Every structure is written in C-alpha cells, then in structure tokens.
Amino acid sequence: MKKTLIFNNALALALGVVTLTGCTDSFLDKEPDDRTEIMSVDDVIELFITSYPDANYGWVCELSSDNVMDLNSVHLPASPNAKQDLTHYNLTSSGRQDDEMFRFESVKSSTSSDTPAALWTGLYGSINSVNEGLEALERIAAQPGFVADRKYNAARAEGLLIRAFDHFILVNCFSQAYKNDELSKADVGVPYITKPITKVDDKYDRSNVTDTYKKIQADLEEGLRLVSNINYKLPKWHFNEGAAHAFAARFYLYTRQWDKVVEHANAVLGTNNEILLTRMFDYGDLEDLVYLSDYANAWQSPYIYSNIMLVDTYSTILRKCRYRYGQGSLVARSIYYHSSPLWSGYVVNPTVLVMGLGGNGYGAYYPAWISEQFQYSDKVAGTGYAHTVRREFTYAELLLERAEAEIMKGSLDVAAEDLITYSKSIQKFRPATKETYESNARMTPLTVDMITGSNAWFAKATKNNYNCFDDWNFVTNMSPDYIISADKVPYMNCLNYFRRFETNFSGLRFFDLKRWGMEYTHEYGLNNEKITLKWNDPRRALEVPEDAIAMGLQPSRPLARTDSTATEGKVLPAKHFMETSDND
C-alpha cells in the first residue's frame, strides 16, 4: 500500500494501478476494482467505487470546534452530581499536531491521517481519480454511434457528485464560511480541479469562495439531473439518489436557499412525519447489544433506512479522543451530560446511556457510533490500516436541516413539527423500556411550549444548558441578509441543541459555528490560556499544508501568519500534491 501519488493518486490510472481505497473492499462488501485500463463505462463504474475520499474530516474539525476541551486545563468534573472540585490531568496528546490544531495554529508537525494535510491530499486525490473517470466517459461518448444510456448517465452523475462533495468539504475546511455572493468574493476559496493532472508544473488558482460555491453548484445540479441507482449493488456506499438530494439540501442550507433545502429534503424524507418516524434509527435495536463495536455496527449498517450514505475512511479518531483532548467537563454537559425536559430528573440522556458511552478514565467520553475496523496488511507483524466509517448523510441530520430551513423561512409551525419528530426519534425504544422511562418521568416528549414558553428551557443559558446562544443577530457579522428575528431565536436554540447532539464527532459542528458566525473559546494548559475565535477570525479557515504555501499557494490565513512562510502567491504547481508515504 505504498503511495507515490499526485493529489494522493493522480498518477494511478496512468501507471495502470488501482486507487488507494481498493484494498478495503473485502470487509466492507464492496465490489473489487481489479481493472488495469479504462475501456468502457463498466470500467469507470469500477473506478468510482474506489474514488470516494478516504480522508476523514471528523477529528480535524471536532478539535477545531467547541466540542473538544483540553483535559489538562483546570476544569470541573463532567457529572453535575460529583463533588465540584476543580481538577486537571497531565495527559499527553496523541501527537503534536493535535496541540497545534487545538490552539488554532498551522499544523507543521505531521501529515499523517486526521491532519489538515491528510485531508487536503486525500480529498484532492479523490477529485483527481474522479476526473480520470469523467474524462474517460468523455472519450467514450466521442466514439462514433455512441448514445448515452442510463448506465452512462448514472456513472457521470456519480463522478460529478463526488467531485462536488469533495470541493464542498475542502472549501468549508480551508476557507471562510459562505457569507453571500458579493461578500464571499473577498474570501479565498480552494482550487477547483476539473481535469486530471498530467504535468507536475500545472498551476492552480484558489480564486474565491463565491466562485468555488458556484462551481460546486454546477456539478451538483448536473449530477442531480442524471443520478440513478441503476449501477449500484450496495447503493448506500455510493452517491445514490437519496444521498444526492441530501447533499443538495446541505449545500443549499449553507448558501441559504431555504426553499431548495426543503425541496430536496422532502425528496428523501417525504412530507408525512408519522411515516418518517418509522424510518428513523430505532434505539430499541441496541438494547441486547454488549460491546461498543456492536453498537457502531448497528449504526453504520448499510441496510437500515436511517443511513443515506456511508463513506469508508482511514482514521484513528476513536484513539485520538482518548488522549489529552476530549469531551469532558462542561463540554460533555453541553452536549448530553445534563438533565433536560426531554429526560427530566435524569443526569444523562437515556439515549446516550443506551449508546454505552465509554470513557478514557479521565472523564472524557466518546459516542459508540464510532468504531474502528482494522485491516491487517501483515497479521504476524500486527501492521495494517485503521478504518472508520462515516455516516455522511442520515435521515436525522437531514430532518434537522429541513427544520432549520423552515425556521429561516418563517414557517415556525412546520419547523416545530420537524423538531418534535426528531425528539421522538431519539426516544424510540422498545415499548416496555419506553413505558418505564415515561412512567418514572425520566423521559418527556417535546412540545412547542418547551421551545417558546415563558420558561422555555432551550432559551436559558443556565448551568444545565451551555449549548444555547444569547445572541443570534448576524447583522454585524456574517452578512446583512442573514438575520434571525426574535421570534425565530427559540427555535434556533432548540435546533442548535439537537444538531450538536446529532452531529457529535462528525465534524459538522465546526461548519455550523463558522456558517452561523458564532464566537467560541478554547482553554489551553494549566493556566487556562484562553484562545477565542471571533466571527471573522482568519483562523476559522484551516491552513493548507506548509509545502503548498512554500511552493506559492495563497495561504488560508494571511492575516494570521507572522512566520517566514507567508506569501503573496496565488497559484500552486501540481507537483505540490505529490506525496510519497505510507498510510498510518
């Protein structure tokens, strides 16, 4: 599995070899890719199996958000029932790169998995592989007498959707959040690559965020027009029809095209919430399970309705959150470790208890929906590759995206129905278990009054609820056309509360904080050094790899850079993306 790559695998097809992720097929029940040359549409379909991004943005983004704390800083215990004595630990981080990311610094110490550099090269590796396939489809279509059929169109759709998705993750990680078309022209974007790399001295311009989003939208909408499940044996490992609409809903949410969010969410969820609820994840399915890996396997199954698309990645996120940086103290209380009207008098959300949260012995927790699967390259030596499956699109997260769009449209009654449906989904247990929780007043259904009433729990910034925002007024920050009026604030507090729980450890919290323009703080070290990110802090964009900047690429954080690597360069030669390393 040695890599000698451009954009991670740009030369793979030219050299007649398969892309990196081809080795994962056996244990994920994906079709193997043993093709050596692209000659047909079937060859392209096989190529796209291995063209999905193998880099996981979860840990990079969680560590850059407010979902993770430094356990070496002075803090209170996570449990509000424990003696509230200040404590701190003397833990090592999983690597210096985690220290750098938590302090919002450029990561210079490592290019291994779960770093910005691995994310950058992994996503561009996926893009280049896809571009090889799309170019091959163009050659096939140019043959005399060719007529595009459903198989051809579906293959083209898959390539376009992967390319759009990869650039979407890149721009949300390495650029500032989208503000509006005019304001975002002032923010640097990411290179939008639409052709395979053929020369190492090709140059690429980062352009701006508006331009990047326009190009994403063009690929997305063309992919939506052509998408079909006809080529898939296991659709949920691909950009199936539902995943295409779910991605569209997320894209339009970030660009604040509210009607389109609802349109594409409805294409997957339907408009009958009673039927929808039956298709949401059922926590009753976990009640007989014992091991954390069993919980994760249940969540990550490609055979359940609630998962729309799964992506296999190289990641050791489950290991990393057991070191110095994790979810403990007030961070844990903010997300799940507190009482609420949905689980009155209960210290921990019963859903989380059923999840079987595990600790590292130091008061930090991680959700059981994350599990590492290890692929041995040498069982005797004990070496190989750690895989983590991402639930990239789910019914629950899509439902919350629709709820947010309805709030912003002013359709508050409709939004409330979606929020209530979501709350019912995390209270789905076997009848006897549900009856026990409800009879003991440990679990209560959500009501509109809980959201908007005079004592609305979601609007209180109390010790039991660190997860709500005091000010949703964006007039002075993100853009003048993104305003959350007073009547929407209670609903947005409820939505934020649910989104933070639902997207925990996925990395999407970082994107939410950016696109909402919210200020947050990291406390670092024994002296609790405070590092606060304002809405317009250049450090809200991850810095691109150092070697890219050294070779002339415009940095993500020009105002934050004071070292000698700062540059006014705007274009990047293709040879920057050449990497020779082993996946770790």
Side-chain angles (χ1 to χ4, degrees):
M1 194 63 66
K2 192 79 171 178
K3 297 189 294 180
T4 303
L5 311 168
I6 291 179
F7 280 120
N8 249 15
N9 52 14
L11 296 182
L13 291 176
L15 297 175
V17 297
V18 298
T19 51
L20 178 63
T21 52
C23 63
T24 68
D25 296 333
S26 58
F27 77 95
L28 290 177
D29 296 325
K30 299 183 193 175
E31 305 91 333
D33 177 15
D34 55 4
R35 178 210 64 264
T36 58
E37 185 178 4
I38 299 178
M39 299 293 292
S40 67
V41 174
D42 286 334
D43 291 338
V44 176
I45 293 170
E46 291 294 315
L47 169 64
F48 286 162
I49 292 171
T50 62
S51 295
Y52 285 82
D54 58 30
N56 191 325
Y57 61 92
W59 182 243
V60 172
C61 292
E62 289 295 289
L63 203 54
S64 302
S65 77
D66 61 353
N67 270 0
V68 174
M69 64 169 288
D70 180 6
L71 295 169
N72 288 358
S73 65
V74 179
H75 59 274
L76 295 169
S79 172
N81 288 344
K83 188 177 181 180
Q84 296 298 291
D85 290 336
L86 291 172
T87 187
H88 68 88
Y89 302 107
N90 186 27
L91 303 174
T92 59
S93 57
S94 69
R96 182 181 170 187
Q97 68 274 7
D98 286 2
D99 300 324
E100 292 167 333
M101 282 188 284
F102 188 81
R103 291 172 62 90
F104 305 115
E105 297 172 353
S106 299
V107 177
K108 303 178 182 180
S109 61
S110 176
T111 60
S112 63
S113 62
D114 299 304
T115 64
L119 188 59
W120 177 269
T121 55
L123 287 164
Y124 275 117
S126 170
I127 290 165
N128 197 74
S129 181
V130 163
N131 285 338
E132 293 278 6
L134 290 171
E135 186 173 81
L137 289 175
E138 291 178 3
R139 292 196 304 268
I140 293 168
Q143 296 173 357
F146 174 82
V147 177
D149 57 12
R150 287 185 65 201
K151 178 189 286 189
Y152 175 91
N153 287 336
R156 177 168 166 75
E158 184 173 21
L160 291 170
L161 290 166
I162 298 172
R163 187 168 74 185
F165 174 78
D166 288 341
H167 285 101
F168 179 77
I169 300 303
L170 282 163
V171 76
N172 277 284
C173 286
F174 294 98
S175 299
Q176 294 296 322
Y178 174 86
K179 301 179 177 70
N180 61 31
D181 279 356
E182 190 59 36
L183 292 174
S184 290
K185 289 177 182 178
D187 293 326
V188 65
V190 295
Y192 205 95
I193 313 298
T194 59
K195 295 294 181 182
I197 303 226
T198 57
K199 297 185 299 182
V200 295
D201 58 350
D202 285 343
K203 303 283 187 178
Y204 295 98
D205 191 339
R206 291 191 67 169
S207 187
N208 58 64
V209 169
T210 297
D211 180 64
T212 302
Y213 267 84
K214 293 295 184 186
K215 291 174 178 176
I216 293 170
Q217 185 168 340
D219 275 351
L220 168 61
E221 292 180 348
E222 177 66 2
L224 278 167
R225 187 180 70 84
L226 300 172
V227 70
S228 168
N229 293 347
I230 189 173
N231 295 340
Y232 305 147
K233 295 178 182 178
L234 292 168
K236 294 197 177 182
W237 291 108
H238 298 266
F239 255 114
N240 56 75
E241 295 172 21
H245 285 291
F247 174 34
R250 186 176 297 173
F251 174 85
Y252 292 126
L253 184 75
Y254 285 31
T255 55
R256 299 194 287 278
Q257 301 178 65
W258 312 123
D259 287 335
K260 288 186 176 182
V261 178
V262 175
E263 173 191 347
H264 289 284
N266 287 349
V268 180
L269 305 176
T271 56
N272 186 320
N273 280 18
E274 291 185 10
I275 295 175
L276 170 61
L277 186 58
T278 66
R279 297 174 176 175
M280 304 283 278
F281 188 82
D282 191 338
Y283 291 89
D285 294 342
L286 306 179
E287 293 187 34
D288 294 331
L289 302 182
V290 177
Y291 300 104
L292 289 178
S293 59
D294 294 333
Y295 287 85
N297 289 336
W299 259 295
Q300 296 169 1
S301 171
Y303 302 105
I304 58 175
Y305 253 112
S306 55
N307 289 330
I308 301 174
M309 189 176 94
L310 305 170
V311 178
D312 171 42
T313 68
Y314 290 108
S315 174
T316 57
I317 183 174
L318 193 60
R319 305 181 199 182
K320 293 180 183 299
C321 61
R322 299 173 183 176
Y323 286 83
R324 176 174 177 174
Y325 304 102
Q327 287 186 350
S329 191
L330 304 187
V331 172
R333 292 194 205 178
S334 297
I335 305 171
Y336 42 72
Y337 208 69
H338 54 254
S339 60
S340 96
L342 303 183
W343 43 89
S344 294
Y346 214 58
V347 176
V348 183
N349 174 350
T351 298
V352 177
L353 282 183
V354 173
M355 284 164 52
L357 277 172
N360 63 359
Y362 297 100
Y365 300 86
Y366 55 89
W369 56 54
I370 297 177
S371 177
E372 180 181 298
Q373 300 182 55
F374 197 80
Q375 176 200 358
Y376 286 98
S377 58
D378 186 334
K379 286 191 176 182
V380 175
T383 58
Y385 308 94
H387 295 260
T388 299
V389 173
R390 289 186 58 85
R391 299 181 305 141
E392 199 59 60
F393 298 105
T394 67
Y395 270 56
E397 205 266 331
L398 181 57
L399 176 62
L400 293 176
E401 289 177 340
R402 185 173 74 180
E404 183 176 347
E406 294 288 8
I407 293 170
M408 296 309 300
K409 284 174 46 141
S411 303
L412 300 182
D413 290 344
V414 179
E417 291 179 13
D418 281 351
L419 293 171
I420 289 170
T421 299
Y422 175 79
S423 73
K424 289 179 179 178
S425 78
I426 63 173
Q427 296 178 341
K428 285 179 66 176
F429 299 98
R430 291 176 180 173
T433 304
K434 186 177 178 71
E435 182 180 352
T436 298
Y437 284 140
E438 291 178 342
S439 64
N440 292 334
R442 292 180 176 180
M443 192 167 68
T444 306
L446 178 69
T447 65
V448 174
D449 186 60
M450 289 182 191
I451 302 172
T452 64
S454 58
N455 292 317
W457 186 82
F458 294 102
K460 295 179 180 178
T462 68
K463 289 184 178 180
N464 290 330
N465 186 13
Y466 301 90
N467 199 358
C468 293
F469 295 123
D470 294 327
D471 184 7
W472 283 93
N473 184 353
F474 296 104
V475 173
T476 60
N477 50 32
M478 291 301 289
S479 65
D481 55 359
Y482 186 23
I483 299 172
I484 298 179
S485 55
D487 60 329
K488 297 172 184 174
V489 168
Y491 294 88
M492 286 298 289
N493 275 330
C494 181
L495 174 93
N496 166 56
Y497 179 82
F498 286 155
R499 278 193 62 82
R500 193 172 184 190
F501 174 79
E502 180 61 36
T503 64
N504 190 23
F505 271 99
S506 72
L508 292 178
R509 176 65 175 178
F510 181 52
F511 295 172
D512 284 351
L513 291 170
K514 288 176 68 170
R515 67 189 179 87
W516 288 336
M518 290 301 180
E519 177 182 312
Y520 60 103
T521 299
H522 281 180
E523 295 190 7
Y524 184 86
L526 184 60
N527 294 325
N528 287 56
E529 174 191 350
K530 288 181 170 57
I531 310 169
T532 298
L533 291 194
K534 302 291 186 180
W535 74 271
N536 60 347
D537 194 303
R539 292 172 296 180
R540 284 184 180 258
L542 301 177
E543 189 56 277
V544 299
E546 287 296 308
D547 59 344
I549 296 171
M551 295 179 71
L553 187 69
Q554 185 175 359
S556 298
R557 309 168 168 183
L559 300 180
R561 300 183 66 84
T562 58
D563 56 79
S564 60
T565 61
T567 177
E568 296 299 321
K570 294 185 178 180
V571 294
L572 176 70
K575 61 184 178 182
H576 149 68
F577 298 100
M578 184 175 291
E579 176 188 29
T580 302
S581 66
D582 284 319
N583 182 282
D584 65 348

